[in-house]
Amino acid sequence: MTTAGERPAPPIRVVVADDQALVRAGLAGIVAAADGFTVVGEAADGAQAVRLARTEHPDVVLMDIRMPGTDGLAATRRITAESGVRILVLTTFDLDEYIYGALRAGASGFLLKSTPPEELLTAIRVVAAGEALLAPSVTRRLIRAFAAASTGPAEPSADRDGERQRVLQAVTGRELEVLTLIGRGLTNTEIAERLCVSTGTVKTHVGHLLAKLAARDRVHLVITAYRAALVA
C-alpha cells in the first residue's frame, strides 16, 4: 500500500523455466495475473533461462531441475555466478543429487510444484526480497539429507569439530541461539516468539550471521548449523 506522493514499488520481474509447456504456461499465468509481478520471459530449458537472466535481468527465476540440454542445476550455477538474480527451484520432492547440487550452486529456495498459487506468489516475494525459503514440508528432510551427503560417514569428525569451532569463534551467544533455531527450520516469527524478541531483532541477528559466516542466504545458514552439529 502506498500513500499520496509515494511511487508504487516496481513489479517483481520473473522468468519461468520449465520444459513442460503446460506447466510453464500455468506458472507464468499465475504470476502475470497477480498484482506486483510481471513475467519477463519463459524458458524451455536451462540455456534459455541463462540467456533470459542476462538480457532481462529478472529478480527471480522459477527454475525446474530436470530439463533437456542444460538442466536447472547447471543453469542455476551459471546464473548465480554471473549475477545477483535469485533462483527459486520448483521440485516434485526428488531428494537426489540435483537438489543437493542446486543448494551448492546458490539456489535461494525450494518449493513443491503442488504449492497453491498464493503460496507460490508469497515465495517469490520472499526470495526477491533477498531471503531464502524452503517449503515447510521439505525443510528438515532436505537439509538433513544434504548435510549427510556433504559430510558423509567417512569424513573425519575433526572436520565437523572444525566447523563448529569456526562458528563458535565468529558469533555471539545470542547469534548462536538464532542459528540453532534456523537450523531447526523455524521462521523469523517463530524465532522471535521463542526468544521473546521482535522480528526486527531476529532479522538483525540473521544479517549478522550471514556476514560473519560468509553465507549466501538462509539456506546456507541451515547447512552451516548442521555441519557444525548445532542440530541433529
Side-chain angles (χ1 to χ4, degrees):
M1 181 176 180
T2 59
T3 59
E6 288 186 349
R7 292 183 177 179
I12 297 172
R13 298 167 57 82
V14 179
V15 163
V16 179
D18 196 296
D19 64 319
Q20 298 183 47
L22 286 176
V23 173
R24 188 171 66 250
L27 291 170
I30 291 169
V31 175
D35 290 338
F37 297 88
T38 183
V39 176
V40 297
E42 297 181 33
D45 57 38
Q48 290 182 12
V50 172
R51 288 195 295 271
L52 286 169
R54 290 170 178 164
T55 60
E56 301 301 327
H57 308 291
D59 299 300
V60 176
V61 176
L62 294 181
M63 184 76 75
D64 187 21
I65 289 291
R66 294 177 177 174
M67 295 184 287
T70 302
D71 63 17
L73 170 59
T76 295
R77 186 182 301 112
R78 290 167 62 179
I79 291 171
T80 57
E82 294 178 3
S83 68
V85 174
R86 313 280 290 179
I87 307 297
L88 177 56
V89 171
L90 297 176
T91 176
T92 54
F93 199 31
D94 287 331
L95 289 177
D96 55 20
E97 69 275 11
Y98 294 105
I99 300 299
Y100 308 143
L103 272 172
R104 296 188 185 97
S108 295
F110 292 85
L111 209 60
L112 302 181
K113 286 187 176 180
S114 58
T115 297
E118 195 54 46
E119 290 184 21
L120 170 65
L121 297 173
T122 298
I124 296 172
R125 292 189 190 97
V126 168
V127 170
E131 299 185 33
L133 179 141
L134 297 172
S137 59
V138 176
T139 304
R140 291 173 180 82
R141 180 180 170 190
L142 175 62
I143 297 301
R144 190 173 293 118
F146 173 78
S150 298
T151 56
E155 184 171 330
S157 60
D159 289 352
R160 298 196 76 184
D161 291 341
E163 179 69 0
R164 183 179 179 84
Q165 288 305 311
R166 180 183 80 88
V167 170
L168 292 176
Q169 292 171 10
V171 307
T172 67
R174 179 60 94 182
E175 288 165 354
L176 187 66
E177 288 182 285
V178 172
L179 178 61
T180 300
L181 295 174
I182 289 173
R184 292 175 180 167
L186 273 66
T187 65
N188 284 354
T189 300
E190 291 169 335
I191 294 172
E193 292 174 351
R194 181 74 62 89
L195 299 181
C196 299
V197 298
S198 69
T199 54
T201 297
V202 174
K203 289 181 180 179
T204 298
H205 287 315
V206 173
H208 291 165
L209 287 167
L210 291 170
K212 291 181 177 182
L213 300 177
R216 177 183 173 90
D217 52 34
R218 196 183 190 91
V219 172
H220 291 82
L221 288 180
V222 178
I223 295 168
T224 296
Y226 275 91
R227 285 176 168 167
L230 297 178
V231 290

